[in-house]
Every structure is written in structure tokens, then in C-alpha cells.
Amino acid sequence: MGLRRAWSLARSCHGYTNRQTSLARIYQRSFSSSKRLSQVSTPGSLAALKGILKVSEEVTDALATNKPVVALESTIYTHGALGNDLDLEGVIRCNGGIPAVVGILGGIPTVGLLPEEVTRMVEGSPKKVSRRDIAYLVGMGIAGNKIHGGTTIAGTMVLARLAGIRVFGTGGLGGVHRGGHESFDISADLTELGRTRMAVISSGCKGFLDIPRTLEYLETQGVLVSTFADGRTGNVDFPAFWARDSGVKSPSAVYDEEQAAAIILAQERLGIESGILFANPIPEEYSIARTEMDAIIEQAVKESTQQGALGSENTPFILTRIRELTDGRSVLANKVLVRANVERATKIAVALSRLDAGESISSSKSVKQQNSTQIFMNKSVPTDETTGEPEVVSQADVLVAGSVAVDLNCDYVGEDSLEHPAPHLHTSNLAHIGQSIGGVGRNVALAAQKVMQSNKVRLCSMIGNDLAGSTILSSLKASGMDTSCIKQLSREHHPTSRTAQYVAINDADKNLVIGMADMGIFTAHSFPGYWSSAVKTSKPKWLVVDGNWADRDIRSWIQAGKQNHAHVAFEPVSKEKSARIFCNERGIESLGTFPNPSIDLATPNQYELAAMHAAAQRNEYFDDPRWWEIIDAFGMKGARDRFVKLTSANMADVGIPQQVIQLLPYIPTIITKLGSNGALLTKILRKDDPHLFDLASEKFILSRCLNNHPEVGGIYMRLFPAVEQVEDVVSVNGVGDTFLGVLIAGLAQGENVENLVNIAQKGATLTLRSSQSVSDDLGILKSEILAAAAIATSQKLG
């Protein structure tokens, strides 16, 4: 019988509070912090919304730091009939972009709606909002009548353009209805494309519309229409939504996302204010044959006329009949094509961001003139020295992906420091202030290098093009570290990037009182392709990832490590950053569980451990059936007495061993750093692990698998007391990093982790006595590492 689900703590619920705001405060408050609000050509049009447009923090940051952003309309959620399993935001994130769902929430035009906000809209009887409706809903909101609105393609274009977004992925464009030359039933999507510069990616327009007249109207509006050739040559058909071909030739063709991005950039540089329509044919395996679809459409249109379904009733009637006449195939096709369009939109946005960053991009196909439309972009793009492949020339045993920073250590030395060792608040304090080069990633890498005494350690990090960055580069080179994967961001393309800095305020006993970290460079800039290449070319045995990266980049690093057969270790860095490993997984790849974990090892302190556990609980990692399968195999019923025996009553009371056990399915080896109390090693044993059959190890076996799980043999838990109580502490900075660096150096040599914990603790004590964040004396531990390696080899042979 496995652990009871009562182990899962109660989840915190995030409520939403509505607040009435006066007209004066509405006008005074600026909801948008986007730094890339587009210039509009006519005063009083889009600019009138600037003061009351809300742009989410994630989208604002992405636009300010040149991350690819893709707009999504909200009517697909509020008025669509495709269900709630599209996960378009996930499609964007998986392809390297940032989603921006656009809508009007309680009278506030919003770019970057959160999932809970979309749900609130859907449940709040939203209106359908095109350009004409925006001022009405926003004005009513100012007057106190909070109305929700799902934006159409036209409405989304207006708000997304104002926020500075350039690419928009959707399903099918509106168009000229059949008989539109008499009824003037023409979608506002077309006129919006004529006046708002936005690249819209869709599968053409709905097949029951008048496609030739739709293309004629777009031509009149000055809209470039180009269809993705998708492997075809010659004149390419404009798609007909469910069918790949419409019988109407596309005005032009593009062959890949790089060409599309170049066209968007050319349109901007030329100052052309109309939009661009990139038509993306539905994937062939889900398309419905044109002849079959034409017959179904004709029948549906005929019945709509007979039933008198006109105006706003016309499209819903026709779509319903098409769904019925295709036995639901049209709905599946619709779901597939909208996801395919959003994926292609994201790839275009990624290519566009690369162009903006100064990267040269090359199209996969050289295009000769196929039709009357041919676009050239002759202006050369400046080269950014930060782009391209990392200059890796050799294999590395250890690759550390993490921060490098300038550290300032401030030790309190006030006159009353003996009686009152803590610095005084709200006033200046006397201190000894020293500057050094640090950063968690750098410290771990340097510690591993000093122990291994080889060039088989490599650091991957980022610095700015500033004095601090130059100082760091010089210091790394002077210490003999490989700098081939240190990415220096240029001022021209990344003007806001600053080299990371860390300030430690310590008391008179050298204990940390508060630390202040400016590590924004690691969350504001993302280069997943560059990092993946670094891992692939380095071929490390161990990849160490620290928690300074953004959630998504941490996962990208881990994924790159596993794809290249590296063991992965996670260094939590701090209480706040440790939670990033158990972030909300919406739109990103899930963490693997034992026996195929994404992370092999983590080394949190007890506070970081608690934060990791809380994040896993909050984001429902403990509801995963894979987690329960491993937990049930542990056989942990009534384990408190064993926890106390192997650790202490105090540790069991604060929940340290319990939290560790619950995280083991995701991280099968966890070493909890306990300061002067030593380190607690906990790991999952496989069925054939020698510890299960070794009498000397029996006292450390917390549990044995009792349910015949094919992989889980038991749990090994061992408290290693501190190797020494250090009295002459010089600095606590870098102590935990040194511990991990020494540990990884040994693991890369093939040692068993239990033979390395005390050696790693010795390394930490050396750093405690050093003014540097990594002791220069770590090399003396090499002989112990080699001895441990010999023990590990004999254990394996035995």
C-alpha cells in the first residue's frame, strides 16, 4: 500500500478581486509598460488607446528584449466551437515564442491575457469585438460598466499593433461573402489588413466565401498576399481553409519562414502601413479534397439561402451544416490547421527576432520569379558579435550553465560588532568591502576545474558589453577557464543588458544577512539554439544548470542535456529561484520521472528544498500518475520513526526528509545542505543496486520496494555530519557552490555520490577560510577524488 494522498498539501487558490475605479483614476493610470508601442500614422486613431492599453509583464518584457511574440485572437475561445484543448499558447512556447492572447477584460483592452483571465472572459458573456466595437466596450468600462469582449481578427490586429506585436497566428480570415458585390457583406478583417501593419498567418479564408473577390479586395486595399509553397513549385493555389487548393492562384509564394520574416522587415523599413497575409495550407493528411468540399459548401450555402440565414446568422449556419455534412471532419481539420498556422507564425516571429538581433538568416530555397510579385531586400543587416555558433573546439567532462557576476562582499565591522554582530538597519554601517568575480555557475565551474586540474570544465554564461563584463572575461581567462561559451551581448542590439552583479551584506561573524542580486541578463535574454549547440558540441558527462535562468530556459538546458546523453544536476541558487524547476508546465515539456528523470541530482539547502516542494505542490506535480507510481513503490507507510532514526527528530518535525521523499520521483538523488549539521543524501536505489545487498549499507536503507516495481529497489538515506566545525570563517560566499563543484568533479570521474559527500564538504570548508568565492587550495582534494574513484571501480567490479 502506497503513501496516502493526504501527503498532498492543500492548494492555494488565487482569487481575482474586482475594484471600482473612478473616471479620474482610470485616465491617470497607464496600463501599458511596453517599450515598443508602434507609431501610428493618423493622430487620434490607435494612439488614443495608448493610455489605457494593458500589456502583460511577460509580453512587455518579451517586446523590450526582442523575444518572438505571437498574437492570438480571443474569439477562438469566447465564440469558437473547437473546444478548450487547442493549447495554442503551448504551441507558441514549444516553438520558442511568447503568446499574447488579445481581448477586452472588464472594459480594459488587454494584450497578454492569462489563462484564468481568458476563463473569466468566457464565463462572463463576452461580446464579439471588431475595430468598431473597441471604443464602445472601453468607454463603457470607463463609465463603470465592465464588459468582456473577445476580439476578432480585426480587433486583435488593432490592439496587438498598438502593443508593438508584428505577427499574428489564426485559423481562417474573413472575406467577401458570395453575393457580396450586391450585399456589401465584406469582413472587417480585409479593411483592417489594408490599414494596420500586421503579418497575419491563416489558412486563407473560409472556403464558402468568394475567394476571387476576396483577393481582389485585398489587392485594392494594398495588402500583400503570399502563400507558403509547402513543397510545391510553380504557380501555387491560394488555400481554401479545409482544402489545400482553391482553384485560384495566389498572387505570390514564399518558401520558408525566413523569407516571410525578411518580407515583414522590408515592409517596416519601407514604411508601408498595410498588413501582410501569409496563407498557410492545411497539412495534407488532414485536408478535405477540393471537389468534395466544393459540393458540401454548395449544399450548405444553398440551404442557408433557403432558410433565410443572412447577415450575422449566415456564417454560423453554414459552418454548422458543413460540420454535419462532413461527419465532423471539418472540425478536426479546423483544429489542425489553426495549430499549424500558429506554429508557423511562431517560426516566422523567431526568424524576425533573429533579423532584429542582427543575425544573418538564409532561406532554404532560392526563389526565381514565379509570378508578378517579387520582393527584394538589398539592405545589409549588421552582424552582432553575440550570434552564431559557440566556438567550442573540444569535449568537456563538465558543462556548467549558469551565472557569472561581479560580487561585492560587505562585512560589518561596527564598534559594537562583538555584542551586536548584525548591521544596523536604516543607517550607514562601517564595513570591509571587497570585490571579486563570482556567480553560482562560475563558482561551480571553477571549483570543479581546480579539483580536476584539467581543461575539461566549461562555463556557459552571459555578460554585457560593459566594464564589469570585460573584467569578468579577463578574470576567467587568467584563471585558465574556457571562455568559448561566454556570450557577450552587444550594446547595439541589447542596449539594456548589464553584466550581473551580486551584493552580500554579512554580519560581523561573516554570516549572510541579506543578498541583493541583479541577474536580469539571464532572464531577459534567451538564445536556446546557441545553448543547445554548446551542449551538443561539448558532449559533457555532466551538465549543471543553475536557477538564475528563466523557467523556460532552465527546461531548454535540461532538454539539451538529455538529448545529448548527459547527466543533469540542478543548483537551486536561492529560495525564490529554486522554485523555477517546478514551474507551471503549460506549454513546455514535462519533467521526466524515475527511471527516466530529466534531472539526476539537486543540491538544495533546507530552505530551497521547502520552496521546491511548495512549487511542486502548487503546480500539481504530485498529481501526476507517474509520480504516484514511484511513490507507491517506496513502501513508506509509517516512516516517521525511520526518518528520526536516520536524521533527527528536529529534521523530521520541520519536514526535511518528507519533502525530499516526495521530490525523489523527479530528482532521484538529492543532497540537502544543512550547514553546520552536515548534508543529507537521499537517493532511489534500482533493483540491482549493491547497497540493497550490502550489510554495511543496511542501516542507511530507509525502505525497500514491496510492490514488484520493475525499477525501484528502495531508498538510501544517509546523514553526513559536518567534517569540521569552522571557527575562523573568512567568507560564506561561494561555499555551497564549491560543494557542488567538487561533487560534480568526482561524479564526472565515475565516483559514487556517497563516497564524495565528505570530500565536497572539505572543499566547502576550504572556501569558508578563503577570501575568494572558490578556494585556491581545492587542488589538494584531487588525490581523495582519485581514491574515491578507485573505490567506486572496485565496488562495480565486485
Side-chain angles (χ1 to χ4, degrees):
M1 182 175 180
L3 289 179
R4 298 184 180 181
R5 291 183 182 258
W7 264 22
S8 297
L9 304 176
R11 288 182 181 78
S12 58
C13 298
H14 300 277
Y16 193 97
T17 304
N18 290 319
R19 295 189 296 175
Q20 297 295 326
T21 311
S22 67
L23 278 171
R25 290 187 64 190
I26 290 277
Y27 281 115
Q28 289 169 1
R29 183 178 179 187
S30 173
F31 285 100
S32 174
S33 57
S34 172
K35 297 179 182 177
R36 293 185 54 181
L37 292 179
S38 302
Q39 172 113 22
V40 290
S41 56
T42 55
S45 56
L46 295 181
L49 291 174
K50 181 177 179 181
I52 52 177
L53 178 70
K54 178 182 178 182
V55 184
S56 73
E57 290 184 7
E58 181 183 30
V59 173
T60 297
D61 174 75
L63 292 171
T65 56
N66 191 32
K67 293 177 183 175
V69 181
V70 178
L72 295 172
E73 61 178 296
S74 48
T75 49
I76 203 165
Y77 302 109
T78 60
H79 294 80
L82 299 180
N84 57 3
D85 60 344
L86 289 173
D87 191 24
L88 300 181
E89 293 151 280
V91 172
I92 293 172
R93 294 190 190 280
C94 285
N95 286 278
I98 303 296
V101 181
V102 178
I104 296 180
L105 182 68
I108 299 173
T110 304
V111 177
L113 287 162
L114 301 175
E116 56 267 27
E117 292 175 328
V118 173
T119 300
R120 183 180 162 211
M121 282 179 57
V122 171
E123 295 173 350
S125 302
K127 305 294 184 183
K128 199 170 188 177
V129 180
S130 187
R131 167 184 275 267
R132 68 172 188 180
D133 309 297
I134 294 175
Y136 177 81
L137 266 70
V138 176
M140 292 298 284
I142 292 173
N145 185 9
K146 311 296 185 183
I147 305 173
H148 300 315
T151 50
T152 63
I153 290 177
T156 300
M157 288 176 66
V158 171
L159 299 180
R161 170 69 197 285
L162 182 60
I165 297 173
R166 304 139 88 190
V167 181
F168 171 19
T170 186
L173 194 72
V176 178
H177 281 255
R178 298 190 183 197
H181 59 292
E182 297 175 347
S183 66
F184 295 100
D185 192 352
I186 301 171
S187 171
D189 298 347
L190 305 187
T191 51
E192 200 58 53
L193 273 166
R195 60 180 146 189
T196 299
R197 188 166 66 211
M198 179 69 62
V200 178
I201 293 81
S202 76
S203 292
C205 59
K206 297 289 196 304
F208 55 81
L209 299 172
D210 189 329
I211 292 177
R213 283 195 171 96
T214 296
L215 292 176
E216 287 286 347
Y217 194 89
L218 287 170
E219 180 183 348
T220 301
Q221 293 291 315
V223 178
L224 168 64
V225 177
S226 198
T227 299
F228 276 93
D230 214 15
R232 297 168 293 182
T233 58
N235 291 327
V236 176
D237 263 19
F238 185 78
F241 200 65
W242 301 284
R244 288 172 63 82
D245 301 315
S246 64
V248 181
K249 299 304 176 187
S250 176
S252 68
V254 288
Y255 291 84
D256 54 37
E257 292 84 3
E258 287 73 21
Q259 287 184 357
I263 291 169
I264 295 169
L265 189 61
Q267 182 101 329
E268 293 175 354
R269 287 181 173 175
L270 292 167
I272 299 172
E273 287 298 320
S274 52
I276 302 173
L277 174 62
F278 289 114
N280 186 38
I282 181 175
E284 192 163 6
E285 60 269 33
Y286 293 98
S287 65
I288 300 175
R290 175 184 158 196
T291 52
E292 179 187 359
M293 204 64 226
D294 285 347
I296 290 171
I297 289 171
E298 289 298 330
Q299 181 177 342
V301 171
K302 180 180 178 181
E303 291 180 11
S304 73
T305 303
Q306 293 172 347
Q307 295 291 330
L310 303 174
S312 61
E313 298 177 355
N314 181 255
T315 296
F317 180 92
I318 292 175
L319 289 174
T320 299
R321 285 300 291 140
I322 289 174
R323 182 174 67 246
E324 294 168 350
L325 293 170
T326 59
D327 295 323
R329 284 186 296 148
S330 63
V331 175
L332 175 61
N334 199 344
K335 288 183 176 182
V336 170
L337 69 85
V338 71
R339 286 175 61 88
N341 295 342
V342 169
E343 179 179 347
R344 179 145 260 167
T346 308
K347 292 178 180 178
I348 293 172
V350 168
L352 187 56
S353 290
R354 290 174 55 201
L355 276 176
D356 283 336
E359 291 189 43
S360 59
I361 60 173
S362 58
S363 170
S364 61
K365 184 176 179 68
S366 177
V367 184
K368 296 180 180 179
Q369 185 169 345
Q370 301 284 352
N371 46 49
S372 59
T373 302
Q374 187 174 23
I375 295 179
F376 297 91
M377 188 178 73
N378 295 320
K379 185 172 180 179
S380 61
V381 181
T383 300
D384 183 347
E385 69 271 20
T386 70
T387 60
E389 298 288 319
E391 298 177 1
V392 176
V393 296
S394 62
Q395 183 268 340
D397 287 343
V398 176
L399 185 68
V400 181
S403 65
V404 61
V406 173
D407 285 350
L408 287 175
N409 283 294
C410 308
D411 298 330
Y412 177 60
V413 293
E415 293 180 357
D416 63 344
S417 59
L418 291 177
E419 299 80 20
H420 190 279
H424 298 280
L425 300 178
H426 314 302
T427 187
S428 297
N429 289 268
L430 291 176
H432 286 154
I433 300 176
Q435 177 177 302
S436 61
I437 305 303
V440 171
R442 175 264 186 187
N443 293 344
V444 172
L446 186 60
Q449 177 179 284
K450 286 183 178 297
V451 172
M452 295 172 68
Q453 298 180 7
S454 75
N455 59 358
K456 290 290 189 177
V457 179
R458 185 166 294 136
L459 172 65
C460 286
S461 194
M462 286 191 290
I463 56 175
N465 189 3
D466 49 26
L467 180 60
S470 299
T471 302
I472 285 174
L473 268 183
S474 299
S475 173
L476 294 177
K477 290 176 181 177
S479 65
M481 290 192 68
D482 185 337
T483 61
S484 61
C485 291
I486 303 298
K487 193 174 183 66
Q488 187 166 33
L489 306 186
S490 71
R491 290 180 179 175
E492 179 181 0
H493 302 293
H494 307 282
T496 62
S497 62
R498 299 187 306 275
T499 297
Q501 297 189 53
Y502 175 77
V503 179
I505 308 297
N506 304 320
D507 64 19
D509 297 327
K510 309 297 177 64
N511 294 314
L512 180 68
V513 175
I514 188 170
M516 305 294 285
D518 179 2
M519 300 287 170
I521 190 172
F522 298 104
T523 54
H525 305 280
S526 180
F527 304 94
Y530 186 96
W531 303 134
S532 179
S533 177
V535 179
K536 183 177 180 180
T537 51
S538 296
K539 299 180 177 62
K541 297 176 182 177
W542 276 88
L543 169 67
V544 180
V545 183
D546 82 21
N548 280 300
W549 305 97
D551 302 353
R552 228 157 260 294
D553 287 329
I554 290 174
R555 291 296 176 91
S556 295
W557 276 114
I558 291 171
Q559 184 179 13
K562 286 303 178 181
Q563 287 175 345
N564 291 280
H565 312 294
H567 295 289
V568 176
F570 176 66
E571 165 49 47
V573 176
S574 68
K575 181 178 177 181
E576 176 187 357
K577 295 172 183 177
S578 64
R580 292 175 178 173
I581 196 63
F582 291 108
C583 62
N584 188 314
E585 290 193 311
R586 182 178 176 84
I588 60 177
E589 184 173 335
S590 298
L591 282 182
T593 57
F594 184 86
N596 300 302
S598 301
I599 308 164
D600 299 286
L601 168 72
T603 55
N605 62 34
Q606 65 184 84
Y607 307 106
E608 294 161 350
L609 174 71
M612 291 164 64
H613 182 272
Q617 173 65 39
R618 182 171 60 250
N619 292 310
E620 302 183 353
Y621 284 75
F622 300 154
D623 286 348
D624 192 316
R626 300 173 303 158
W627 180 84
W628 276 108
E629 180 184 349
I630 303 304
I631 287 292
D632 285 342
F634 288 166
M636 291 295 298
K637 185 178 180 181
R640 176 178 165 75
D641 290 343
R642 281 175 283 169
F643 287 150
V644 172
K645 181 179 178 181
L646 289 173
T647 60
S648 69
N650 181 59
M651 287 187 200
D653 288 342
V654 298
I656 291 174
Q658 296 91 327
Q659 292 167 356
V660 168
I661 294 299
Q662 293 190 44
L663 294 179
L664 279 183
Y666 291 104
I667 310 174
T669 300
I670 298 177
I671 303 175
T672 309
K673 295 173 291 191
L674 302 168
S676 60
N677 291 318
L680 178 64
L681 167 64
T682 313
K683 67 176 184 175
I684 298 177
L685 301 177
R686 292 179 178 268
K687 285 283 189 184
D688 58 352
D689 193 294
H691 288 299
L692 292 169
F693 315 103
D694 178 21
L695 289 177
S697 300
E698 180 62 33
K699 59 184 176 181
F700 304 122
I701 303 299
L702 176 68
S703 70
R704 295 177 182 269
C705 178
L706 301 176
N707 70 353
N708 295 319
H709 189 281
E711 298 288 345
V712 176
I715 298 175
Y716 182 93
M717 180 175 282
R718 181 175 175 182
L719 178 63
F720 290 81
V723 294
E724 181 182 353
Q725 295 299 324
V726 181
E727 301 295 337
D728 53 337
V729 175
V730 175
S731 173
V732 297
N733 189 30
V735 173
D737 307 335
T738 300
F739 178 92
L740 178 57
V742 174
L743 186 78
I744 290 296
L747 291 172
Q749 302 304 310
E751 291 90 331
N752 294 329
V753 65
E754 60 271 21
N755 297 331
L756 293 169
V757 174
N758 280 339
I759 302 175
Q761 288 199 83
K762 290 179 181 178
T765 61
L766 289 171
T767 292
L768 275 173
R769 292 190 170 100
S770 170
S771 60
Q772 302 297 316
S773 51
V774 176
S775 171
D776 287 331
D777 298 327
L778 291 180
I780 65 176
L781 299 175
K782 183 176 181 180
S783 60
E784 293 192 48
I785 292 283
L786 294 176
I791 294 173
T793 302
S794 64
Q795 289 174 340
K796 291 175 182 177
L797 294 176

